[in-house]
Amino acid sequence: MSLSPREREILALLRAQPMLDAAGLARNLGTTKGAVAVALSSLTQKGEIVGRGYVLRDEPWAVVVGGAAWDVKARSAATTRLHTSNPATVTRTPGGVGRNIAEGIARLDGRVHLVSAVGADAAGGELLARTAEAGVYVDKVVSSAAHATASYLAALDADGELVVGLSDFAATDAMGVDALAGAQELIGHAAVVVVDANIPAEVADWVLGVAASRGVRVVLEPVSVAKATRIAPLLRADRPVFAVTPNVDELAALSGRDVPDEDAAISAAAQTLHERGVTHVWVSRGSAGSLLISDGVAVPIGAVEAEVADVTGAGDAMTAGFVRALLAGEDPVAAARQGHLAAALTVASGHTVRPDLGVAFRAALADSERAHR
């Protein structure tokens, strides 16, 4: 669509100062806020800007559609005794696979929007505030009084082993397409969309359809064997998916076949997904690294060595690093390597999402470049 002279002036200002509000734009242009509001509405309808902060169409961003929750961990001070009280250290941190991936992308200096659901409660408000503080755009998160904000409780023994885990993800399970319709243009203009398989299958189906109709790359995170089984029927040859990021067990669920942890078996299962529209199958193999299979060619990618403090969040960090690299124009192999680096830095920190991930990541990349000169 053609742009008016005023619309072109506004876009030029926003490229120079992306966070200008309507009042600031009006001052710069010598006009009224009302006139600016009309122009901004027109630019939004034309797809030139998207979302709060006036995200420009030619500035690539990611959208993550997935779960947001509070993670509560209670680690016993001694061997856990069942059916009685145990002294413990309790921590409460923002969590949820989709939310964690979005924060990881933001910590790596990527522009990212979260599409999710929380309760209309204090926990939801705090969760969104903490996520926004990390740099994630949260204006497309749906708030509902019908369910409490999702939470996950993990009771750990003194050695860190899980004794029992309890989850309440009713808010995520209740996500519906109608409530998320306001995010359609945001998704349709994204450079990459991440689908966290925790969301209902009908929502994932809708997101995949919107992305395919606009030619947007989709990265599908299967999350678990159960969730991978539920999401598998959505993979179709007529609706391409750029990449899926399973471990070996999740790959078996997606492909519907037994998959031993061997290169040939993984590649054969990946071929099944290629035939169903998946371009890249990136299979995590824990400490053995990963295997990226594209068009029948398998590329092994080594894990980055790290002194492990806590493995929680490693998979989310891998996906975040992969997506951030795609936003920066890297090819999938380079993106997968950066995913491993983000995961290594995360497990060494003890945080589910490392607060200084961007700083540590840039330093590690610089060290790597110096070492290879």
Side-chain angles (χ1 to χ4, degrees):
M1 296 182 182
S2 62
L3 303 180
S4 70
R6 176 64 79 196
E7 289 170 349
R8 286 194 289 270
E9 288 177 328
I10 288 176
L11 287 180
L13 277 172
L14 289 174
R15 288 190 176 94
Q17 304 177 67
M19 297 311 294
L20 276 176
D21 59 11
L25 288 167
R27 285 194 300 272
N28 277 272
L29 295 170
T31 187
T32 66
K33 287 175 60 178
V36 168
V38 171
L40 290 173
S41 176
S42 175
L43 286 167
T44 300
Q45 291 173 5
K46 293 175 180 179
E48 294 294 333
I49 59 176
V50 181
R52 191 173 64 190
Y54 308 131
V55 182
L56 301 182
R57 183 179 63 179
D58 56 0
E59 182 180 358
W61 69 85
V63 175
V64 180
V65 187
W70 281 104
D71 287 345
V72 181
K73 293 181 185 179
R75 185 163 180 165
S76 181
T79 301
T80 303
R81 298 179 61 187
L82 300 180
H83 312 301
T84 189
S85 177
N86 293 265
T89 300
V90 180
T91 60
R92 175 176 176 266
T93 58
V97 171
R99 198 218 64 87
N100 290 346
I101 293 171
E103 182 178 341
I105 295 169
R107 297 287 185 191
L108 291 167
D109 302 320
R111 185 178 288 276
V112 59
H113 296 253
L114 177 64
V115 177
S116 187
V118 298
D121 48 25
E126 184 185 355
L127 183 60
L128 293 185
R130 293 277 295 274
T131 304
E133 286 171 4
V136 179
Y137 288 85
V138 298
D139 51 302
K140 297 302 181 184
V141 175
V142 176
S143 179
S144 170
H147 300 284
T149 296
S151 59
Y152 172 71
L153 170 64
L156 309 176
D157 211 338
D159 59 2
E161 289 295 318
L162 182 68
V163 177
V164 65
L166 300 170
S167 62
D168 176 0
F169 272 72
T172 302
D173 295 339
M175 286 174 66
V177 172
D178 290 345
L180 301 184
Q184 182 167 338
E185 288 304 305
L186 183 71
I187 293 168
H189 288 94
V192 182
V193 172
V194 180
V195 174
D196 158 17
N198 277 308
I199 63 177
E202 59 270 21
V203 174
D205 187 53
W206 174 77
V207 174
L208 291 175
V210 171
S213 70
R214 303 291 187 89
V216 177
R217 293 176 293 180
V218 172
V219 175
L220 176 60
E221 168 52 54
V223 178
S224 68
V225 170
K227 301 294 172 61
T229 301
R230 186 180 68 180
I231 217 86
L234 303 184
L235 299 176
R236 306 197 312 256
D238 64 336
R239 190 173 60 186
V241 168
F242 181 77
V244 295
T245 59
N247 61 26
V248 176
D249 291 337
E250 292 159 0
L251 175 62
L254 287 172
S255 62
R257 58 194 294 171
D258 291 334
V259 184
D261 192 356
E262 302 168 354
D263 288 5
I266 291 172
S267 294
Q271 181 57 38
T272 300
L273 299 188
H274 290 330
E275 294 168 358
R276 291 163 55 195
V278 179
T279 304
H280 306 283
V281 182
W282 184 29
V283 184
S284 173
R285 305 170 82 177
S287 60
S290 63
L291 199 63
L292 179 67
I293 306 100
S294 310
D295 296 325
V297 178
V299 179
I301 299 172
V304 177
E305 291 186 8
E307 186 172 336
V308 177
D310 186 347
V311 299
T312 306
D316 301 340
M318 276 186 69
T319 303
F322 180 74
V323 172
R324 177 63 186 98
L326 293 176
L327 290 177
E330 300 287 356
D331 64 73
V333 173
R337 290 185 176 128
Q338 292 192 22
H340 275 293
L341 176 58
L345 293 170
T346 297
V347 301
S349 73
H351 294 276
T352 301
V353 182
R354 181 170 175 159
D356 66 341
L357 181 59
V359 174
F361 185 85
R362 289 190 294 273
L365 279 182
D367 288 344
S368 178
E369 288 173 0
R370 283 193 292 269
H372 288 88
R373 286 174 183 168

